[in-house]
Each structure stands twice: as C-alpha cells, then as structure tokens.
Amino acid sequence: MTAKIAIVGCGNISRRHAEAYANTGRTELVGVADIVEAKAQELAGKYGGTPYASVTELLAAEDPDLVSVTTPPGSHAEIAIEILAAGKSVLLEKPPVLSLAEMDAVAEAEQASAGSVWVIFQHRHGSGALRAADLLGRGALGRPLVAVCETLWFRPLSYFDPDWRGTWVGEGGGPTLGHGIHQIDLLLHLLGPWRTINATAVRLGRPVEFEDVSMASVIFESDAVGTVINSLLSPRELSRIRIDTAGGTLEVNHVYGYSDGDWTFHPAPDAAKAATLGIDPGVRKTAIESSVADDPWTASAGEDVPSNHEAQISRLIDDLQAGRPHETTLAGTRPTMEFVTALYASAITGRPVDRTDLTPDHPFYQALHGNTPKTELSESFRP
C-alpha cells in the first residue's frame, strides 16, 4: 500500500523529508506548499507532487495520509492544528513547537482529530541508540550514575541572515532549543525522566535575542546526575553523550548523525564486576568489534542503521502500514520540551527548576522567555 505524503515548508530541511520518503519506495508525494512559490515549484520539480502557495490550498486539493511540517519553528503549532482539523496526520520537524502551551494546544487538536502527531527526533531511531536504550533499560550495563551531553556546533554570522533566525518569534530560542535538543532528546530517551535542572545561558558572539551557549546540571529521577552544554561557537564540532554506569562507560561521538561504529563501551576495571556483565575487563569494545554472543554491548542487532531522517521516516511508514504505534509521538516528546523549558527558566531566573514546577500557571509555560521584560531578558544573557 502506498502512503500519500505532503510537505509544508520547502526550505533546506524539506529535502531530507522528501528523500527519506522516496527511499522507502512505499510513498507518493502528492503536494508541497510554501509561501515562496519558487521554493514549492523547485521541490515539486525534483520530488514530485503539485506545488501550492499554502497549507490551506494543499489540503483543499489533496488527500494526504501524512503531512510533514518543515517550516520555521514559529509556525509549527498553527500549521499542525490546521492539518489536524482536516483529519490528517502530522510529522513535525524539530523543535516541534516553541512552548509547552503550544504543545498542549496541538495535543488538544490531536485528541479531536482522526489524525495523529509525530515528531522528528531521528537520533532515537539509529540502531546504536535502539541497542543502548534496550541495554540500559534492562540494566545490562549497570545502574547509570553520571552523564555528559554535549552539542558543540558552529554557526557563522551568515547563518542568521534569514529574518526569522535569531528571534524569539521565529526561531523560539538558541542552541538549547534548535540544536542541542537532538542530543537532549537522546539523553532522556536513554536515561529516562529528569527531576531538577540548574542552568546558565549566555550570549557571547552571535546577533541573537537569546543565548548562543547554555550549560545545565541535571538530576534524574533515578538519582543519576549529568551536565548538558549547547554551543554555536565551537569550530571543531562535536555531538557527544557519555553515560558512566556501575558496569562501564557508554559513549557516542558524532556531529550530525551517528553510525554503529561511533558507539563505544569501556567496561569497569573491577574484574569481578565486569565478569558478571559478560565483558572482558580493560578491553575497549566498539560496535564492530563486539561480536561475542554473551557480550551485553553490540550497537545493533544486525544491520547498521545511521541516525538520519531516513531511519525514522522509514520506521514511521513501516509502523503506519503495519498498524503499529510509532514511538516518537507528540506526548512522548513532551519531556524533552519540558527539559528545554526548565533550562531557559533556570537560566533566566537564576534558580533551579523542578519538572513538577512546569504547570500551566508557570511563567515559562507560555513562552521560553517567560514573558520577561526585554531589558531584564537582555541582562540575563550577559556573561
């Protein structure tokens, strides 16, 4: 059965969606929409479908099973709600929305719709992360104790040339929301719920209304602790998650996407403890080297699936056509948006934030800047 697909927003990221759908061999792109006519025509010319000037025109003319929303983040919620009102399902590019209030408004629209909402967090779907989540979840690597989550990227001044970038209204936030959210989501996917965040965010070198660097210390519900850093000022780019457990150190190092070979596990030096986990003490294991049947760490259960859009979109189409739930739901990504919200709230107010604080009456529920006065907000990002 061929799934009918539409794409709203025909900028750079839309091509990742279009290519991923095409590579499944089980979809048909029936329409694309963009307020810039030339962009819609260009995407349609390369990947198929009819170009439209708006999501409203597209929905009036086509009957898609699923609509990818790849517009600038500030428009995600409004567009998703319109698609859901038409009874269609939505795949939101990250970040899904700009606030918890927007997320809950989309969730309310989803409840009233025949459609469903999923979110692109592709790093959950590479084979390495699937294996890591399974092993950590069943305790095969030992109890998690300490975590490090780093998104050290570089964006030149020209990156902020589009008028929506660098603004609260258009982009919604800095590297915490728009860049580090990938690694944050993967960290939470691996370690589970967080409890408390204490954060700092500063603007050091980019023409933005928010931060270009943020740092946070985190306490998880499991009592594990971690640090998170997000930067747009780091010339040697790196995306890293390291989790130290009672049994060893699990780590992934990459930039924009990992393969199995980017994951390593270093067992604890305690020979007796390592033996109980089935790992030779002192021997570095990589995904390629780990082949012993009783070894708890192998990065995949066979095929090496990189953590790109194709990994998630292919899995989504598989799930839809098999009638299975797809894991990365809107509700399932709320903890990630809560984490981002708490980081901004802590950085701007100078106080720690608990996850339980983030109720609808919390000042940062409606907006990541907490509707803080401009002068006070500007001061909060000064180093």
Side-chain angles (χ1 to χ4, degrees):
M1 179 179 175
T2 299
K4 293 185 289 184
I5 305 298
I7 297 175
V8 179
C10 300
N12 289 335
I13 202 67
S14 67
R15 289 160 179 75
R16 301 274 185 90
H17 286 244
E19 289 169 4
Y21 286 124
N23 288 342
T24 68
R26 289 164 289 138
T27 65
E28 176 191 2
L29 185 59
V30 297
V32 301
D34 199 288
I35 58 174
V36 179
E37 184 179 356
K39 288 185 177 181
Q41 291 175 341
E42 181 182 358
L43 192 70
K46 186 169 184 179
Y47 296 101
T50 302
Y52 296 95
S54 69
V55 62
T56 304
E57 290 185 13
L58 188 155
L59 292 171
E62 305 290 348
D63 185 30
D65 301 305
L66 176 65
V67 183
S68 273
V69 177
T70 58
T71 56
S75 61
H76 283 188
E78 180 181 359
I79 292 172
I81 289 169
E82 181 174 355
I83 294 167
L84 289 166
K88 308 303 180 185
S89 291
V90 181
L91 179 62
L92 288 171
E93 181 56 49
K94 67 81 199 166
V97 291
L98 299 191
S99 68
L100 293 176
E102 286 191 351
M103 178 163 266
D104 288 347
V106 175
E108 184 177 348
E110 182 182 25
Q111 286 292 317
S113 174
S116 299
V117 185
W118 299 282
V119 179
I120 285 286
F121 278 125
Q122 70 269 30
H123 292 323
R124 295 189 188 191
H125 294 273
S127 49
L130 294 175
R131 183 66 172 148
D134 173 64
L135 291 168
L136 287 165
R138 56 188 172 88
L141 302 183
R143 182 168 69 92
L145 302 170
V146 181
V148 177
C149 178
E150 298 172 328
T151 302
L152 303 173
W153 290 2
F154 185 83
R155 293 295 182 269
L157 292 174
S158 60
Y159 175 80
F160 300 97
D161 286 347
D163 58 8
W164 60 271
R165 282 212 171 111
T167 68
W168 288 109
V169 171
E171 201 167 5
T176 308
L177 175 71
H179 303 82
I181 197 170
H182 279 299
Q183 294 300 107
I184 291 168
D185 181 76
L186 179 55
L187 180 72
L188 298 180
H189 182 61
L190 297 177
L191 287 188
W194 60 275
R195 186 163 68 232
T196 304
I197 291 176
N198 205 330
T200 299
V202 294
R203 180 172 54 244
L204 297 176
R206 295 295 177 265
V208 295
E209 295 179 353
F210 28 68
E211 88 287 6
D212 49 26
V213 177
S214 68
M215 299 178 171
S217 60
V218 189
I219 301 174
F220 291 86
E221 290 288 357
S222 67
D223 293 329
V225 296
T227 61
V228 175
I229 180 169
N230 308 289
S231 168
L232 293 183
L233 308 180
S234 304
R236 188 179 75 80
E237 295 186 310
L238 174 69
S239 302
R240 179 171 81 118
I241 290 178
R242 169 179 170 145
I243 299 173
D244 297 326
T245 73
T249 295
L250 175 66
E251 188 168 4
V252 59
N253 287 273
H254 63 105
V255 179
Y256 299 133
Y258 61 77
S259 295
D260 284 359
D262 297 314
W263 291 80
T264 59
F265 184 77
H266 297 255
D270 183 326
K273 183 181 292 183
T276 67
L277 294 171
I279 304 171
D280 294 332
V283 178
R284 174 183 169 134
K285 298 283 185 174
T286 69
I288 297 172
E289 293 164 350
S290 296
S291 58
V292 181
D294 61 355
D295 189 334
W297 173 252
T298 51
S300 70
E303 182 184 1
D304 181 354
V305 179
S307 64
N308 52 27
H309 280 71
E310 185 172 343
Q312 181 171 354
I313 285 175
S314 176
R315 192 175 181 191
L316 173 59
I317 297 302
D318 284 346
D319 290 341
L320 292 177
Q321 295 186 340
R324 295 187 300 259
H326 182 70
E327 176 186 330
T328 315
T329 61
L330 182 72
T333 61
R334 198 176 198 278
T336 302
M337 278 301 298
E338 290 174 336
F339 187 105
V340 168
T341 302
L343 196 155
Y344 279 106
S346 177
I348 292 170
T349 65
R351 297 189 297 270
V353 175
D354 292 341
R355 185 179 175 192
T356 54
D357 294 337
L358 298 174
T359 56
D361 59 353
H362 191 277
F364 285 78
Y365 173 84
Q366 294 291 339
L368 292 179
H369 50 60
N371 293 312
T372 308
K374 279 191 175 182
T375 54
E376 185 180 333
L377 193 59
S378 182
E379 283 297 315
S380 70
F381 292 115
R382 294 173 70 93

